[in-house]
């Protein structure tokens, strides 16, 4: 049984174990986002995202600013 809530990723729907109360152990902490990337993502999504989607959105943002 999971200690934390299982929620769907807002972007892809994949189940993720939310560890908001233990952020350093959460899968999303594997993605190092700068302030601009966080702002870009938060403009499009309000809830938790899986690490895969965070990496993809980080790349999307970097592609936009380098174009």
């Amino acid at each position: 049984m999971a200690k934390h809530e299982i929620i769907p990723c807002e972007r892809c729907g994949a189940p993720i174990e939310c560890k908001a109360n233990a952020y350093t152990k959460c899968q999303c902490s594997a993605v190092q986002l700068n302030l601009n990337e966080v702002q870009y993502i938060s403009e499009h999504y309000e809830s938790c995202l899986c690490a895969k989607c965070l990496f993809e959105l980080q790349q999307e943002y970097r592609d936009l600013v380098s174009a």
Side-chain angles (χ1 to χ4, degrees):
M1 185 171 173
K3 287 184 173 184
H4 304 279
E5 182 180 8
I6 304 296
I7 60 171
C9 170
E10 182 180 348
R11 184 170 180 248
C12 72
I16 53 177
E17 188 175 3
C18 181
K19 296 181 180 176
N21 61 344
Y23 174 73
T24 58
K25 296 177 184 176
C26 191
Q27 53 85 36
C28 64
S29 68
V31 185
Q32 301 299 310
L33 301 170
N34 67 37
L35 184 60
N36 292 331
E37 293 163 346
V38 169
Q39 183 175 354
Y40 173 76
I41 293 169
S42 67
E43 288 172 358
H44 296 89
Y45 300 95
E46 294 181 12
S47 189
C48 291
L49 300 169
C50 68
K52 179 181 176 288
C53 285
L54 287 172
F55 279 121
E56 290 172 357
L57 290 165
Q58 180 182 52
Q59 189 59 51
E60 180 180 295
Y61 174 78
R62 289 179 179 183
D63 290 346
L64 281 172
V65 297
S66 68

